[in-house]
Amino acid sequence: MPIYQAPTRDTRFVINEVLKLESYGNLPGFEAATPDLVDTVVDEFGKFVSEVLAPLNAVGDREGCTRNADGSVTTPTGFKAAFDEFRAAGWGTLSAPEEFGGQGLPHVLGFVAQEFIATANQGFGMYPGLTDGAISAIIAKGSPQQKAKYLPKMVSHEWLGTMNLTEPQCGTDLGLIRTRAVPNIDGSYAITGTKIFISAGEHDLTENIIHLVLAKTPGAPESSKGISLFIVPKVLVNDDGSLGARNAVSCGSLEHKMGIHGNATCVMNYDGAAGWLVGEENKGLAAMFIMMNAARLGVGMQGLGQAEVAYQNAVKYAHERRQGRALTGPAEPAEKADTLFVHPDVRRMLMDAKAFTEGMRALCLWGALQVDLTHKAASEEDRARADLLISLLTPVIKGYGTDKGFETCVNMQQVFGGHGYIEEWGMSQFVRDARITQIYEGANGIQAMDLVGRKLGQGGGAAVQAFFALVDGECAAAKSKPELADLAERTERANGELKAATMWLMQNGIANPNNAGAGAHHYMHIMGIVALGLMWLRMGEVAVAALAAGSGDKAFYEAKLVTGCYFGERFTPDAGSLRHKIESGAASMMALPVEAFATA
Amino acid sequence: MPIYQAPTRDTRFVINEVLKLESYGNLPGFEAATPDLVDTVVDEFGKFVSEVLAPLNAVGDREGCTRNADGSVTTPTGFKAAFDEFRAAGWGTLSAPEEFGGQGLPHVLGFVAQEFIATANQGFGMYPGLTDGAISAIIAKGSPQQKAKYLPKMVSHEWLGTMNLTEPQCGTDLGLIRTRAVPNIDGSYAITGTKIFISAGEHDLTENIIHLVLAKTPGAPESSKGISLFIVPKVLVNDDGSLGARNAVSCGSLEHKMGIHGNATCVMNYDGAAGWLVGEENKGLAAMFIMMNAARLGVGMQGLGQAEVAYQNAVKYAHERRQGRALTGPAEPAEKADTLFVHPDVRRMLMDAKAFTEGMRALCLWGALQVDLTHKAASEEDRARADLLISLLTPVIKGYGTDKGFETCVNMQQVFGGHGYIEEWGMSQFVRDARITQIYEGANGIQAMDLVGRKLGQGGGAAVQAFFALVDGECAAAKSKPELADLAERTERANGELKAATMWLMQNGIANPNNAGAGAHHYMHIMGIVALGLMWLRMGEVAVAALAAGSGDKAFYEAKLVTGCYFGERFTPDAGSLRHKIESGAASMMALPVEAFATA
């Protein structure tokens, strides 16, 4: 059976040593996040996910969810009990606002919890996971009454939330939505339509589910400028907070998916259901983006998570499986064969995974800190800068993070040889589950266009300029340290490729927007490489200092330096070839008439 | 439901126009392969696979195979009837030797059949597919009596064959085999042991199955130098060819796999089963490689096949699905949205797929021609040269072809957005089926080591030198043509990277073999890029000539030129970054102690 041990040591390293969370102790909520508390949260939640959620991962995959004749949905064996335990311990409330019953801790800690839960059991994690986005949208756009009515029970996870965007005819293009919202005399709306791909749309974990639903009011503009957001509870909530009648919303069927079988992906039917407008009519898109941005970072962490658990299992297999001999001669002559670790091509895949997961963890938690600083940093300037950086890097964390996360899962499956293809070994599930992360919450092509078409130009390019400067500054500083010089030079070169690609896109995207679209995916990947290079430099700085100070955990810091060096050697060269591809532009990509795309 | 139309136009283009098969009419077997016959085979078999096999692909995935209480295995609904039709039409015998009832046509045609069948229904195709390798081994190493007894019925597919190599404790490292072969007094051997991952090990398609089994005789050396190959029929065959008693071999269970559910992947138990030695004792490895090399080319074609069918379905979806607007303004203002074709990132994925599948088809059929020429070319020199080239490129066709084939399936699934993740749409099956091609018949890391560790050095580097010269010559010739100059220069540059990487590996692999191992995977990919570049140049040459001659099929040839140009722009730049990675060597890859590979 697959294993999972939460990466507690590495997580503490990132939070306490790399991000130096304690140094932000002057900011609201951070004062409570002492290293002691961080250690407790990391260790205790790590224990919970490893012992309770991880063993249910294969169960969820095998059993899936069941839609009963009455439209109710039963989650896999053990999910309800695990959820009750999760809720009782308050693990979902770490970084929720104290005003609504949360613990008000930094998002950094909330993201740690998100990573661990998404790694141990992605299908399970999606039940509470989507609630965070729904909470964010209500906090940002809801009325005081809506906040009072829904948020405390959503924060406590007594109720869970969902996001209802997609319809059969529209996913990316939300302007095509057909779900209708007709005003009732009491101020509510009657919601009618069909939504598909609704994660956690119906289940038996909570007594109520708060659906956030995009719909169009009568006479609304045709485009995405005519979308409104509604709260549609599964069970109506009386003014005193008690539950009333069942609303006219139901699960029509469950999708048969490649993976995340443990999560109920529902077709939701709204049949004149009572809904309440969140914010203003026709302003639903902005509210949706609040949900989406939170969700996108969460999906990036799912990419990291599946890569991490796949890596851990591949490492275990590589320790146990003996096959062949080292190219340099038998490593363990007394055994019939050496372990897989002696083979460079196996090492290559394991080192790729190690360099990605550790770098990505640092990037995600750094990103979480920017989310915190966006709201809490002392100066307006610091808040604006954090907002710029996390806006820029959200599509990179989601798009690059999940592309590489999936690739890592595939490589870790490869380490198992034929056994990797057999379901009982669990590697197939990691690959199948990770695959969705590249698709949902905005397919990665959409992330790339968000980055190139929207984020690059924001504020006259202020975000990307800030990012360039950040990377250049840290590369320059690191180059003087012999242990980091090679990585710093390679990261600086990759950053140079990123600048050149940016310049090319700016110049050629204006003449022909297709030139920007044609390079967007590659551009997102260069930025991912540079961002991870920056993280490896920072981790390297900490490691150099710790080793110089004679740390007792020498092996840990030495491994950081070796892995950072490997990252420089094996990840950064792609920046150059990606830039070359971008500079080819859209001409040959878009030249063929559509009839040419047929082969028979 | 997914579609598949055999790519008959493109196949005829490669055979008749690029390979110019007719020009080999002086060679035995080729005289019959006139363009008319080629057209008939391509069209008729294309029709058969599209109409009969493709509709059963999803059935096989959904139903899988069933092991019954008596150990017999039932294939999915419709497989038996389709197989009977396949056999009756003689589609499996195209390039089998006439001596044993085959049609004696060039392997080029046999490979076309392999591609089409592996594309329409990979799980089905593996039943007859593995028989070809078994036939090759018996032809090469079997006694005249064995040939007479088994080959005619195997060639006619009255009986099918299998390859029994893997055991629970050994896949790659066949020196660890435990299956025993003890001589009986009648000259046969008693075979005892357990084999796993045996494709088509048991089924209801034929009345007999001829297993080729690796086992060790008493006192055999411990290493792979102590392996022998045995024929172990499921049902014993009397001297008059009639069937006798059931042999002591049975299917113990079926594996639960990520994909290829339509094929029965069996645990096979040998319990003193009667077996007959093929060739000499302890020389089984050489016989096995005959099977394996045939199978490896077949697996490369499976990678192509799954990419092709995934591409066709993505094209269909891109035609039908309307979402968003072109970046350059609405392409079809009268519609509510444009088709997916307007979006550069969708085009990128489709063009990547088109450039790969068409290039790979040319490479595979060119490879098949080399197999033919190895045996049939007029001069010893030509035969030796063909043998060198196909030996060199077999691991590339298998390893690069399946890595890119899988990647293509994943990208084509991405074109579908969320629908790609839903099993009913069929894209998940292509991804899941394609995944095995990177693993079986020697995982792709083994292919890379075969290329770098064995093929590069053969004959003092004669093969790779021949390949360099071939590419350089054709690049030089193509550079003078304006339509091909860019592709020629880019391919030449990629070939330059390949030469530099070769030199680096030669020099540094001697000092430390791990340096060769650390770069092998990347090296295989550079060679794949160069090989496909060569194919695109050849296709380009034909297209330029056809257009100059005023061909009536202008759109077809123009698309070839555009796609070749795209290949140059978007595939060849990777050669440079891969070479940089190779030159990093093994130092940081192998530096960490194995204990460092743990994260908790």
Side-chain angles (χ1 to χ4, degrees):
Chain A
M1 197 170 87
I3 53 146
Y4 172 54
Q5 289 294 320
T8 53
R9 174 69 180 98
D10 202 52
T11 301
R12 287 198 308 267
F13 166 72
V14 173
I15 296 180
N16 295 330
E17 301 175 66
V18 181
L19 299 179
K20 300 180 177 61
L21 201 70
E22 207 177 7
S23 70
Y24 297 90
N26 59 320
L27 303 182
F30 282 75
E31 73 282 353
T34 60
D36 272 357
L37 180 100
V38 169
D39 287 357
T40 304
V41 169
V42 166
D43 287 343
E44 290 302 311
F45 191 61
K47 204 164 159 238
F48 172 74
V49 298
S50 298
E51 291 176 3
V52 178
L53 298 187
L56 294 175
N57 194 41
V59 176
D61 187 58
R62 214 166 41 232
E63 288 186 13
C65 296
T66 310
R67 181 181 175 279
N68 307 302
D70 63 356
S72 66
V73 167
T74 307
T75 53
T77 305
F79 273 41
K80 174 91 173 87
F83 180 77
D84 289 343
E85 198 177 335
F86 172 81
R87 181 174 59 188
W91 290 121
T93 71
L94 292 172
S95 56
E98 288 178 279
E99 184 185 356
F100 304 110
Q103 302 181 49
L105 290 164
H107 279 91
V108 175
L109 282 173
F111 273 50
V112 168
Q114 278 195 39
E115 183 202 319
F116 287 7
I117 194 171
T119 315
N121 195 324
Q122 185 178 335
F124 179 94
M126 291 167 66
Y127 291 105
L130 285 156
T131 305
D132 294 339
I135 290 172
S136 303
I138 296 176
I139 288 177
K141 302 287 179 182
S143 68
Q145 292 78 4
Q146 288 172 341
K147 291 180 190 178
K149 195 167 193 172
Y150 298 106
L151 287 179
K153 296 213 169 176
M154 291 175 77
V155 165
S156 70
H157 287 10
E158 198 168 331
W159 304 339
L160 291 177
T162 70
M163 293 164 52
N164 285 238
L165 283 54
T166 306
E167 300 182 5
Q169 79 290 351
C170 68
T172 298
D173 187 354
L174 293 170
L176 302 177
I177 275 181
R178 289 187 192 141
T179 297
R180 295 281 146 200
V182 180
N184 297 321
I185 20 176
D186 65 357
S188 68
Y189 289 74
I191 313 286
T192 303
T194 299
K195 296 285 180 179
I196 63 169
F197 302 162
I198 306 310
S199 300
E202 177 60 53
H203 55 74
D204 55 4
L205 301 184
T206 53
E207 58 179 3
N208 203 1
I209 300 171
I210 309 303
H211 303 293
L212 290 190
V213 182
L214 289 183
K216 295 199 152 197
T217 52
E222 284 267 315
S223 73
S224 62
K225 295 193 178 75
I227 301 173
S228 305
L229 183 69
F230 297 88
I231 292 174
V232 186
K234 170 181 166 183
V235 184
L236 297 171
V237 181
N238 300 319
D239 287 339
D240 64 359
S242 64
L243 292 181
R246 188 74 157 73
N247 205 351
V249 48
S250 61
C251 167
S253 63
L254 295 179
E255 304 283 5
H256 304 106
K257 308 183 299 291
M258 186 180 184
I260 48 167
H261 298 160
N263 201 270
T265 306
C266 302
V267 174
M268 297 300 294
N269 296 323
Y270 292 85
D271 189 18
W276 286 268
L277 183 67
V278 181
E280 296 174 49
E281 271 192 24
N282 301 334
K283 303 278 188 191
L285 206 66
M288 186 208 76
F289 269 113
I290 292 167
M291 291 198 283
M292 286 291 269
N293 280 328
R296 284 174 179 181
L297 292 172
V299 174
M301 305 200 72
Q302 291 176 340
L304 162 61
Q306 293 307 302
E308 169 71 28
V309 67
Y311 166 71
Q312 289 191 17
N313 283 280
V315 165
K316 180 166 180 278
Y317 190 78
H319 278 298
E320 292 166 359
R321 178 78 168 176
R322 292 180 176 277
Q323 205 78 180
R325 288 297 187 185
L327 294 169
T328 48
E332 295 177 85
E335 300 281 350
K336 284 203 165 178
D338 294 332
T339 71
L340 295 187
F341 273 107
V342 304
H343 301 300
D345 198 60
V346 172
R347 280 277 183 142
R348 173 182 66 82
M349 294 189 281
L350 294 175
M351 286 297 294
D352 278 355
K354 188 170 170 66
F356 167 68
T357 54
E358 295 179 16
M360 183 70 187
R361 178 170 301 113
L363 181 64
C364 287
L365 296 182
W366 171 87
L369 180 60
Q370 306 313 306
V371 172
D372 284 316
L373 295 178
T374 297
H375 301 108
K376 298 180 175 174
S379 73
E380 170 61 31
E381 192 190 335
D382 286 352
R383 289 194 294 273
R385 184 185 140 86
D387 189 38
L388 273 180
L389 285 173
I390 192 59
S391 296
L392 181 74
L393 285 162
T394 293
V396 177
I397 288 172
K398 198 282 186 183
Y400 176 78
T402 60
D403 279 354
K404 293 298 286 188
F406 175 72
E407 182 189 303
T408 302
C409 291
V410 171
N411 282 340
M412 296 304 93
Q413 183 184 33
Q414 192 76 14
V415 170
F416 279 70
H419 298 284
Y421 201 67
I422 306 300
E423 289 291 351
E424 281 83 349
W425 285 84
M427 302 307 286
S428 166
Q429 185 187 355
F430 303 141
V431 171
R432 291 185 289 98
D433 286 2
R435 184 68 186 90
I436 191 61
T437 64
Q438 300 170 286
I439 298 173
Y440 64 13
E441 305 305 346
N444 285 356
I446 300 298
Q447 305 299 324
M449 281 310 294
D450 177 45
L451 175 64
V452 168
R454 191 178 302 151
K455 303 297 174 62
L456 273 195
Q458 264 177 0
V464 75
Q465 294 297 339
F467 182 71
F468 292 156
L470 182 66
V471 176
D472 277 338
E474 301 202 19
C475 288
K479 273 198 283 189
S480 62
K481 298 195 176 67
E483 302 91 334
L484 301 175
D486 185 65
L487 172 61
E489 275 160 30
R490 289 174 183 273
T491 303
E492 190 173 58
R493 209 175 309 143
N495 199 34
E497 303 288 3
L498 184 65
K499 289 179 197 171
T502 309
M503 187 70 80
W504 193 94
L505 289 174
M506 295 287 192
Q507 290 172 342
N508 296 278
I510 293 163
N512 177 3
N514 280 341
N515 281 325
H521 179 266
H522 299 320
Y523 185 84
M524 178 174 77
H525 274 251
I526 305 182
M527 193 173 280
I529 291 166
V530 175
L532 254 58
L534 177 66
M535 293 302 134
W536 274 112
L537 279 177
R538 291 181 171 192
M539 293 193 281
E541 297 273 7
V542 174
V544 168
L547 289 168
S551 162
D553 203 357
K554 204 164 158 241
F556 179 85
Y557 296 106
E558 282 175 347
K560 285 288 175 198
L561 291 178
V562 168
T563 310
C565 176
Y566 181 89
F567 177 88
E569 290 172 356
R570 298 269 169 173
F571 280 61
T572 64
D574 288 334
S577 58
L578 290 167
R579 197 253 299 174
H580 283 298
K581 293 181 195 181
I582 291 169
E583 292 179 354
S584 294
S588 68
M589 187 183 283
M590 304 301 285
L592 291 180
V594 297
E595 303 76 36
F597 291 88
T599 55
Chain B
M1 197 171 89
I3 53 146
Y4 172 54
Q5 289 294 321
T8 52
R9 173 69 181 96
D10 203 51
T11 301
R12 288 197 307 266
F13 167 71
V14 173
I15 296 180
N16 294 330
E17 300 175 66
V18 181
L19 298 180
K20 299 181 177 62
L21 201 70
E22 208 178 8
S23 70
Y24 298 90
N26 58 319
L27 304 181
F30 282 74
E31 74 282 352
T34 60
D36 272 358
L37 180 99
V38 169
D39 287 357
T40 304
V41 169
V42 166
D43 289 342
E44 290 301 312
F45 191 61
K47 204 163 159 241
F48 172 75
V49 297
S50 298
E51 293 176 1
V52 178
L53 298 187
L56 294 175
N57 193 42
V59 176
D61 187 57
R62 215 166 41 235
E63 289 186 13
C65 296
T66 310
R67 180 181 176 280
N68 306 302
D70 63 356
S72 66
V73 168
T74 307
T75 53
T77 305
F79 273 40
K80 173 90 173 86
F83 181 78
D84 290 343
E85 200 178 332
F86 171 81
R87 180 174 58 188
W91 290 120
T93 70
L94 291 172
S95 55
E98 288 178 283
E99 185 185 354
F100 303 110
Q103 301 181 49
L105 289 164
H107 279 90
V108 174
L109 282 173
F111 273 50
V112 168
Q114 278 196 37
E115 182 201 320
F116 287 6
I117 194 171
T119 316
N121 195 323
Q122 185 177 336
F124 178 94
M126 290 167 66
Y127 291 104
L130 286 156
T131 306
D132 294 339
I135 291 172
S136 303
I138 297 175
I139 288 177
K141 302 287 179 182
S143 67
Q145 292 78 2
Q146 288 170 341
K147 291 181 188 179
K149 194 167 194 172
Y150 298 105
L151 287 179
K153 295 210 170 176
M154 290 175 78
V155 166
S156 70
H157 287 9
E158 199 167 329
W159 303 340
L160 291 178
T162 71
M163 292 164 53
N164 285 239
L165 282 55
T166 306
E167 299 182 6
Q169 78 290 351
C170 68
T172 298
D173 186 355
L174 293 170
L176 302 177
I177 276 181
R178 289 187 193 140
T179 297
R180 296 279 145 202
V182 179
N184 297 320
I185 19 176
D186 65 356
S188 69
Y189 289 74
I191 313 287
T192 303
T194 299
K195 295 286 180 179
I196 63 170
F197 302 162
I198 306 310
S199 298
E202 177 59 54
H203 55 73
D204 55 3
L205 301 184
T206 54
E207 58 179 3
N208 203 1
I209 301 172
I210 309 303
H211 302 294
L212 290 192
V213 183
L214 288 184
K216 293 199 154 195
T217 53
E222 284 267 315
S223 74
S224 62
K225 294 193 179 76
I227 302 172
S228 304
L229 182 69
F230 298 88
I231 293 174
V232 185
K234 171 181 165 182
V235 183
L236 297 171
V237 181
N238 299 320
D239 286 340
D240 65 357
S242 63
L243 292 182
R246 188 76 156 71
N247 205 350
V249 48
S250 62
C251 167
S253 63
L254 295 179
E255 303 283 4
H256 304 107
K257 308 182 301 290
M258 184 180 186
I260 49 168
H261 298 160
N263 201 269
T265 305
C266 302
V267 174
M268 298 300 294
N269 296 322
Y270 291 85
D271 189 18
W276 285 268
L277 183 67
V278 181
E280 295 173 50
E281 271 194 24
N282 300 334
K283 303 279 187 190
L285 206 66
M288 187 209 75
F289 270 114
I290 292 167
M291 291 197 284
M292 286 289 269
N293 279 328
R296 284 174 178 181
L297 292 171
V299 173
M301 304 203 72
Q302 291 176 339
L304 163 61
Q306 292 307 302
E308 169 70 29
V309 68
Y311 167 73
Q312 288 192 17
N313 283 281
V315 165
K316 179 166 181 277
Y317 189 78
H319 278 297
E320 291 166 0
R321 179 79 168 177
R322 291 180 177 276
Q323 206 77 180
R325 289 297 188 186
L327 295 168
T328 49
E332 295 176 85
E335 301 282 348
K336 284 200 165 181
D338 294 331
T339 71
L340 295 188
F341 273 108
V342 304
H343 302 300
D345 198 61
V346 172
R347 280 278 184 141
R348 173 182 66 81
M349 295 189 279
L350 294 174
M351 285 298 293
D352 278 355
K354 190 171 169 64
F356 167 68
T357 53
E358 295 180 15
M360 184 68 187
R361 178 169 301 114
L363 181 63
C364 287
L365 297 182
W366 171 87
L369 180 59
Q370 306 313 307
V371 172
D372 283 316
L373 295 178
T374 297
H375 300 110
K376 297 179 174 175
S379 72
E380 171 59 31
E381 193 189 335
D382 286 351
R383 287 195 294 274
R385 183 184 141 85
D387 189 39
L388 273 180
L389 286 172
I390 191 59
S391 297
L392 181 74
L393 285 161
T394 293
V396 176
I397 288 172
K398 198 283 185 182
Y400 176 79
T402 60
D403 279 355
K404 294 298 286 187
F406 176 72
E407 181 189 306
T408 303
C409 291
V410 170
N411 282 341
M412 296 304 92
Q413 183 185 33
Q414 191 76 12
V415 169
F416 279 69
H419 298 284
Y421 201 64
I422 307 299
E423 289 291 351
E424 282 83 348
W425 286 83
M427 302 307 285
S428 166
Q429 185 187 354
F430 302 142
V431 171
R432 292 184 287 98
D433 287 2
R435 184 67 186 91
I436 191 60
T437 64
Q438 300 171 284
I439 297 173
Y440 64 14
E441 306 305 346
N444 285 356
I446 300 298
Q447 305 299 324
M449 281 309 295
D450 177 44
L451 175 63
V452 168
R454 191 178 301 151
K455 302 296 174 62
L456 274 195
Q458 265 178 0
V464 76
Q465 294 299 339
F467 182 71
F468 293 155
L470 181 67
V471 176
D472 277 337
E474 301 201 20
C475 287
K479 274 198 283 189
S480 63
K481 299 196 177 66
E483 301 91 334
L484 301 176
D486 185 66
L487 172 61
E489 275 158 31
R490 289 174 183 272
T491 303
E492 190 172 58
R493 209 174 308 143
N495 199 34
E497 303 289 2
L498 185 64
K499 289 178 197 171
T502 308
M503 188 70 79
W504 193 94
L505 289 174
M506 295 287 193
Q507 289 171 345
N508 296 278
I510 294 165
N512 177 1
N514 280 342
N515 280 326
H521 179 265
H522 299 320
Y523 185 86
M524 178 173 77
H525 274 251
I526 305 182
M527 193 173 279
I529 291 166
V530 175
L532 253 59
L534 177 67
M535 293 301 133
W536 273 112
L537 279 177
R538 290 181 172 192
M539 293 193 281
E541 296 274 6
V542 173
V544 168
L547 289 167
S551 162
D553 203 357
K554 205 164 157 242
F556 179 85
Y557 296 106
E558 283 174 349
K560 286 288 174 198
L561 290 178
V562 168
T563 310
C565 176
Y566 181 88
F567 177 87
E569 290 171 357
R570 299 267 168 175
F571 281 61
T572 63
D574 288 333
S577 58
L578 291 167
R579 197 252 300 171
H580 282 298
K581 294 181 195 182
I582 291 170
E583 292 179 353
S584 294
S588 68
M589 186 183 284
M590 305 301 286
L592 291 180
V594 297
E595 303 76 35
F597 290 89
T599 55

